Amino acid sequence: MKIKRVLQGTALTALAAAAWMGAGSTDASAAVNPATGVTFDGNSLNITAESDDLEIMTSVAKASGSDNKIKISAWDVYEGNTAKVDLSKLNVTKDSYIAVKTDDMDKPFLVKIAATTKKTKVDLNKETAKINKVTLTEGEATEIQVRTAIGAYGEKAAVSSFDFSNYQYQGASLYVRVPAKITTATKEANQLPSAIKNDETKYDVYSVGSLPGKEAKVNIPKQANGPSVPVDYVKGKVSIPAKTEYRVVVATASALVPSSSAVKVDKKDPKPVSELLNGASKAVVEVRKTATTGKKCASKWTRVEIAAPKTFAEDSITTEFKADAATADAIAKVTTGSSLEIKYTTDKKATKKTGFSIANACSVAFQYYVGDDVNSAADKDIKTLKATTGKANLKKDAAAGKKIWIRVAGDKKSARWAGAWKELGTLPTIS
């Protein structure tokens, strides 16, 4: 392990003014060759002296005045012929100078760490979580580095290549900086003078680049929760809320796959399950709030599972229908445990038929519709018969000679979707 000690005070100043601690006697050769012995990695300065050197000394020199006069107040002494100089305390927005010497050098030379940008401002597209631009003190950055709140900075890359959308689910605080500029040690044309009175020393300066810029905090907003999606199991509909978009994810033999891209909805849109399924046996409807261009990302998806309505056969329901029924006996009977029956109704004297009655004694609710095509039926024309006690009367003018359709009603409590419609038949005409 390298041992580091500090020399400072008036004795050092005197030595600096007088041949630098005895240097310049028998060997005045450069014990550290800046071109090959000084490297910069963006965080530290690595120095290698000749193999027979026992110490390397470095100092953060202070430059003052318009001519950058150099004052060296204290030395950090590294035992051995290598040193790794920590640069983390430097002010990155100002030029910094690290003095380097060994005991057999005439004078130190200076390693210049150039100032980096004072300003780093990130313009984030909050919809896409991509960076529009990074503004610096002068101009814009072309490359940056990014870290999370608990991570280290990654490799530099083009500003346009960063995509933070994966952080939108939970939100995040990220940090952005301009990367260090690293060059080989290059001697500058001008030397810098000593700040010590009557000292005529001039220092050679070698530039190695600049440290990373000041970091800027970037907040990735948390994605909003998905919207509430009303589901009507009884009517067999999913209501897509206004200002949302939805897609249907269809079940295949091995996976769920989107059947289409998301469709935007400007106003509330109740969708029949059969329409959403489009022939599939089951699927998931995914709904989310739409994004605000450039300002807000879309919300999370709300997912609603849907399934094709069960047919009477799948529910083991049997049906009978007598198109030519002439008496008050059942015109139709739908059986599931008990029966749902359709019969004639008559006047008080039981001499004239006035219409039809429907009585549901089954343990499940049923719905019925009278008309040519149930698929075009208005919601108000679809009626529900309660389980066990459901009853209804149909006047002859409204029902005689028309088709009647029946289905098992949906049930919100058990999350059961309404069953498939079955055309029982055409109700008899009544003279």
Side-chain angles (χ1 to χ4, degrees), residues 278-338:
N278 193 27
S281 60
K282 60 181 179 179
V284 174
V285 181
E286 296 182 332
V287 185
R288 68 181 180 184
K289 298 174 185 176
T290 54
T292 303
T293 304
K295 297 182 179 180
K296 188 177 182 180
C297 69
S299 74
K300 295 177 181 178
W301 292 104
T302 296
R303 306 179 81 247
V304 177
E305 294 183 2
I306 59 176
K310 288 186 178 181
T311 65
F312 279 14
E314 289 171 324
D315 271 339
S316 300
I317 299 173
T318 60
T319 64
E320 298 177 33
F321 190 85
K322 299 176 182 178
D324 57 351
T327 67
D329 293 337
I331 297 168
K333 180 178 287 189
V334 179
T335 305
T336 171
S338 281

Side-chain angles (χ1 to χ4, degrees), residues 123-408:
D123 180 9
L124 180 74
N125 184 321
K126 293 182 179 180
E127 176 193 2
T128 62
K130 293 183 178 181
I131 296 176
N132 293 326
K133 63 181 178 179
V134 177
T135 305
L136 308 177
T137 305
E138 295 181 1
E140 296 180 11
T142 57
E143 293 182 323
I144 56 171
Q145 292 174 289
V146 177
R147 72 173 176 89
T148 63
I150 59 173
Y153 275 104
E155 295 295 324
K156 64 181 181 181
V159 171
S160 60
S161 68
F162 287 93
D163 183 347
F164 304 131
S165 57
N166 191 51
Y167 292 103
Q168 290 179 313
Y169 297 111
Q170 300 300 324
S173 291
L174 303 178
Y175 297 85
V176 172
R177 72 180 184 185
V178 175
K181 294 180 180 178
I182 301 173
T183 65
T184 56
T186 304
K187 188 175 182 180
E188 293 193 348
N190 297 325
Q191 295 178 311
L192 296 183
S194 170
I196 299 174
K197 188 176 181 180
N198 298 323
D199 180 12
E200 299 299 322
T201 302
K202 292 185 180 296
Y203 302 103
D204 291 331
V205 180
Y206 293 85
S207 296
V208 294
S210 62
L211 288 165
K214 281 194 169 184
E215 64 182 19
K217 186 176 181 180
V218 181
N219 290 317
I220 309 297
K222 181 181 178 180
Q223 195 174 25
N225 289 331
S228 175
V229 180
V231 175
D232 192 330
Y233 289 98
V234 176
K235 294 180 180 178
K237 292 186 177 182
V238 176
S239 290
I240 310 300
K243 297 181 180 179
T244 64
E245 57 186 0
Y246 75 95
R247 65 186 182 190
V248 180
V249 182
V250 179
T252 65
S254 58
L256 290 172
V257 295
S259 61
S260 62
S261 56
V263 178
K264 289 187 177 181
V265 174
D266 293 326
K267 60 182 181 179
K268 184 178 178 180
D269 187 6
K271 292 283 187 184
V273 168
S274 57
E275 179 183 330
L276 293 168
L277 287 167
N278 193 27
S281 60
K282 60 181 179 179
V284 174
V285 181
E286 296 182 332
V287 185
R288 68 181 180 184
K289 298 174 185 176
T290 54
T292 303
T293 304
K295 297 182 179 180
K296 188 177 182 180
C297 69
S299 74
K300 295 177 181 178
W301 292 104
T302 296
R303 306 179 81 247
V304 177
E305 294 183 2
I306 59 176
K310 288 186 178 181
T311 65
F312 279 14
E314 289 171 324
D315 271 339
S316 300
I317 299 173
T318 60
T319 64
E320 298 177 33
F321 190 85
K322 299 176 182 178
D324 57 351
T327 67
D329 293 337
I331 297 168
K333 180 178 287 189
V334 179
T335 305
T336 171
S338 281
S339 297
L340 178 151
E341 293 183 318
I342 301 176
K343 297 181 178 181
Y344 287 110
T345 56
T346 63
D347 59 11
K348 292 182 179 180
K349 296 180 180 180
T351 57
K352 290 184 179 181
K353 297 171 183 174
T354 58
F356 309 93
S357 67
I358 307 176
N360 180 23
C362 299
S363 59
V364 294
F366 275 83
Q367 289 180 307
Y368 70 91
Y369 170 72
V370 177
D372 289 333
D373 184 8
V374 72
N375 294 314
S376 60
D379 287 345
K380 64 182 180 63
D381 294 327
I382 296 174
K383 308 300 182 180
T384 302
L385 298 168
K386 292 181 180 180
T388 309
T389 60
K391 293 182 180 180
N393 289 321
L394 307 177
K395 293 182 178 180
K396 67 177 182 179
D397 292 341
K402 296 182 179 179
K403 293 179 181 178
I404 184 163
W405 307 73
I406 295 288
R407 72 175 177 184
V408 176

Side-chain angles (χ1 to χ4, degrees), residues 48-125:
T48 303
E50 293 177 344
S51 60
D52 59 349
D53 278 294
L54 300 179
E55 293 181 332
I56 293 176
M57 284 152 280
T58 69
S59 177
V60 178
K62 182 178 180 180
S64 59
S66 59
D67 54 354
N68 282 336
K69 290 183 178 180
I70 297 298
K71 181 179 180 181
I72 303 171
S73 300
W75 290 97
D76 295 335
V77 181
Y78 298 82
E79 294 190 358
N81 72 324
T82 62
K84 188 178 185 71
V85 183
D86 176 33
L87 306 176
S88 61
K89 295 295 184 180
L90 296 182
N91 183 344
V92 299
T93 64
K94 295 182 178 180
D95 291 342
S96 297
Y97 297 90
I98 309 298
V100 179
K101 75 178 296 292
T102 63
D103 283 333
D104 56 356
M105 290 170 60
D106 278 339
K107 63 179 180 179
F109 61 83
L110 301 175
V111 178
K112 178 182 177 181
I113 313 293
T116 187
T117 181
K118 295 180 180 179
K119 171 186 174 183
T120 305
K121 183 178 179 181
V122 180
D123 180 9
L124 180 74
N125 184 321

